[in-house]
Amino acid sequence: MDEPIEIGHRVQRLRAERGLTQKQLAYPAYSAAYVSTLEAGKVRPSETALRFLAGRLDISFEELVTGRPAALATELRLGLTDAQRALATGAADEAADRYRPLLAEAERLGLTAERTEALLGLGDCALESGELTDAVARFEAAERLLEGEPLHRRARPIRGRAVALLLAGELRYACYLLESTIDELNTGGLPDPEALVLLYAAVIGPYIDMGAHARAAHAAELALALAPRVGDPALVAGMHRQVARTFLAEGRPADADASLAKAQAIYRQLRLGADLAHCHWMRGYVQAQNGELRAAEVELRTARDMLAARRAALYTAQVEVELADVLRRLGRYEEAAALLAELLELGDRHGAVHAGGAHRLLGLIAQERGDTDAAEEHYVRALALLERSGASGDLADLCRLLGDLLRQAGRTEAALDAYRTGLGHRAAPGTTTLGPAPAAPTGALRLSR
């Protein structure tokens, strides 16, 4: 709401444009003297008084107190819903092109909620495109705008920032952000299911990379169990968008906003598809660890296809690291090497953990084919990448592989150095140096382990 002097001048201008006297505007609820005092900016009018005056002046309450026509804000929200649809069903770069002008317009109009939504959308676009620095900046800006809001309202930017940090190789901090938020939501007594799905799905990645396989499996189970079940949400959301356009054309912004709120809720559910792809990814990973290679290939291809359909190149390539490992173990070396080459073509944008994983697999393929020089080169490159990330389990395994290779070549001292490095990162399978697991959902949302 603007300051009293600005509202007063606006009332005076609108009254004059309509040819009303102060007495006519005030009748029957107020006096001409009150209107005169208000127009001079000498009193802060109540909401009741402003709603009465807005009705007499035939404008919306929002326009009277802010100077912005209500339709402008509604049109902006409609644009955000269209951008949200583009991100939920299409490519990140196309959605980002929609979000950028909407963010600028929200900033110009001073609309905090719409500005926050645009920042979150741009952050998600940057994540899917692999622009991690930009993603972190967008999510941090959204968090600042949501400061003081309930925790479940801040779950989206927290999750986004944590995922960006994970992809950049900052595993422990990403895990801390996600676990502490999950714990606070669940111990609060009324956890928000959508927020929990986002957070549980996001924490799977750092759990796996840090060797906390039991926690990762449980998080995947919780995310899949909490995921909303809808028939064809895109059709329903599209209907609400079209209804909103009709209401807006009829000069009914409040009804348009109500329809847009329904559409946005559905598009948020559609966004969960990307997170559920990570759960299929986790299932495939666990099956591969148990030697169920054919089943693992099916799950990992499902995850890869779900992400590829969204043109999420970064995540797609990362799933392909796990898929390549399964294909290697099935003896399909050429397919595996082709998948890994696609990941490495992304350069530095994919994060150290997955690049290191790609080089490790290429080293295994080279070693199994008898090319020990190429194997050593890939292992050394993987080691340099993983040492930056804190992926202890991967580092220990890699040092063992490199040590064994060097020992077999008769390079005993170099092999001992590799083994010593690995011992410094050794951790028991399925463990982590993280603290206690976050609290589980309570009440009706509690699931059995």
Side-chain angles (χ1 to χ4, degrees):
M1 183 183 296
D2 286 341
E3 292 300 314
I5 189 67
E6 295 170 320
I7 294 174
H9 290 166
R10 191 172 299 127
V11 170
Q12 185 179 41
R13 175 178 56 78
L14 292 168
R15 177 180 61 78
E17 289 175 356
R18 288 155 177 72
L20 297 173
T21 65
Q22 291 177 338
K23 183 176 180 180
Q24 289 171 327
L25 177 60
Y27 182 83
Y30 297 92
S31 66
Y34 177 77
V35 172
S36 176
T37 303
L38 186 153
E39 289 182 349
K42 297 179 180 179
V43 63
R44 180 175 291 277
S46 66
E47 180 178 337
T48 301
L50 289 172
R51 291 192 179 278
F52 169 80
L53 294 174
R56 294 286 290 158
L57 293 167
D58 195 26
I59 63 170
S60 69
F61 169 77
E62 181 182 21
E63 183 174 355
L64 182 60
V65 299
T66 67
R68 295 186 298 268
L72 278 181
T74 302
E75 287 173 357
L76 180 59
R77 284 189 281 274
L78 182 58
L80 286 167
T81 306
D82 288 343
Q84 195 174 10
R85 173 184 176 276
L87 181 57
T89 61
D93 54 350
E94 295 173 5
D97 289 341
R98 293 174 178 263
Y99 274 118
R100 290 188 192 96
L102 295 170
L103 175 60
E105 182 68 2
E107 290 173 342
R108 185 182 71 81
L109 295 175
L111 298 173
T112 301
E114 288 72 20
R115 183 182 172 194
T116 301
E117 191 63 36
L119 285 167
L120 289 170
L122 284 168
D124 284 333
C125 291
L127 268 186
E128 294 201 6
S129 300
E131 304 296 337
L132 303 183
T133 301
D134 182 51
V136 170
R138 300 292 191 184
F139 289 125
E140 286 179 341
E143 280 189 77
R144 287 193 294 270
L145 289 176
L146 290 172
E147 188 176 1
E149 292 287 331
L151 182 59
H152 72 273
R153 292 281 312 280
R154 292 180 275 126
R156 286 175 64 197
I158 291 170
R159 172 259 183 197
R161 184 158 61 95
V163 170
L165 292 168
L166 164 66
L167 295 175
E170 298 185 41
L171 306 184
R172 296 191 182 281
Y173 187 42
C175 216
Y176 163 76
L177 284 177
L178 293 166
E179 284 200 330
S180 60
T181 307
I182 290 170
D183 193 58
E184 189 173 346
L185 275 173
N186 284 332
T187 56
L190 293 173
D192 179 88
E194 182 179 315
L196 285 176
V197 170
L198 291 172
L199 296 167
Y200 278 127
V203 82
I204 290 170
Y207 279 159
I208 290 176
D209 288 336
M210 297 175 69
H213 300 158
R215 289 197 193 184
H218 187 53
E221 291 171 6
L222 288 168
L224 289 168
L226 289 167
R229 300 293 191 261
V230 291
D232 190 351
L235 290 178
V236 179
M239 177 198 70
H240 285 304
R241 286 172 58 244
Q242 293 307 317
V243 169
R245 291 184 187 280
T246 302
F247 283 143
L248 190 58
E250 294 176 352
R252 298 165 59 185
D255 291 328
D257 281 344
S259 288
L260 288 175
K262 295 175 183 177
Q264 287 174 335
I266 293 172
Y267 285 131
R268 282 196 296 272
Q269 291 175 346
L270 281 172
R271 282 285 298 150
L272 295 178
D275 294 295
L276 295 181
H278 285 259
C279 297
H280 286 288
W281 181 357
M282 174 62 200
R283 279 179 171 170
Y285 177 86
V286 171
Q287 288 167 342
Q289 294 297 304
N290 292 335
E292 303 168 33
L293 300 182
R294 297 294 182 184
E297 181 183 356
V298 171
E299 287 289 347
L300 293 170
R301 287 194 185 278
T302 298
R304 193 270 303 272
D305 291 346
M306 290 173 69
L307 294 166
R310 298 176 50 79
R311 286 182 273 179
L314 177 64
Y315 290 138
T316 302
Q318 291 170 352
V319 173
E320 288 174 343
V321 172
E322 303 294 346
L323 179 57
D325 189 32
V326 170
L327 295 174
R328 178 193 67 83
R329 293 165 66 186
L330 289 169
R332 291 151 64 182
Y333 292 131
E334 296 299 330
E335 289 181 65
L339 290 177
L340 296 170
E342 290 181 16
L343 173 68
L344 294 176
E345 284 176 4
L346 291 175
D348 294 335
R349 295 184 300 160
H350 47 58
V353 171
H354 299 283
H359 279 295
R360 172 187 172 277
L361 287 176
L362 287 169
L364 282 169
I365 291 172
Q367 186 172 357
E368 289 166 7
R369 286 177 160 180
D371 189 347
T372 56
D373 289 341
E376 181 180 351
E377 180 182 351
H378 283 299
Y379 289 154
V380 170
R381 293 180 69 178
L383 186 62
L385 287 162
L386 293 177
E387 282 183 326
R388 303 203 313 256
S389 70
S392 299
D394 290 343
L395 268 168
D397 176 66
L398 181 61
C399 289
R400 178 188 59 78
L401 290 172
L402 179 58
D404 289 349
L405 181 70
L406 295 170
R407 181 174 54 80
Q408 290 166 9
R411 296 160 61 187
T412 306
E413 288 302 321
L416 287 172
D417 287 341
Y419 289 140
R420 291 188 191 101
T421 301
L423 286 171
H425 297 287
R426 187 179 179 185
T431 65
T432 175
T433 55
L434 296 171
T442 57
L445 289 178
R446 182 178 293 280
L447 303 174
S448 60
R449 289 186 179 269

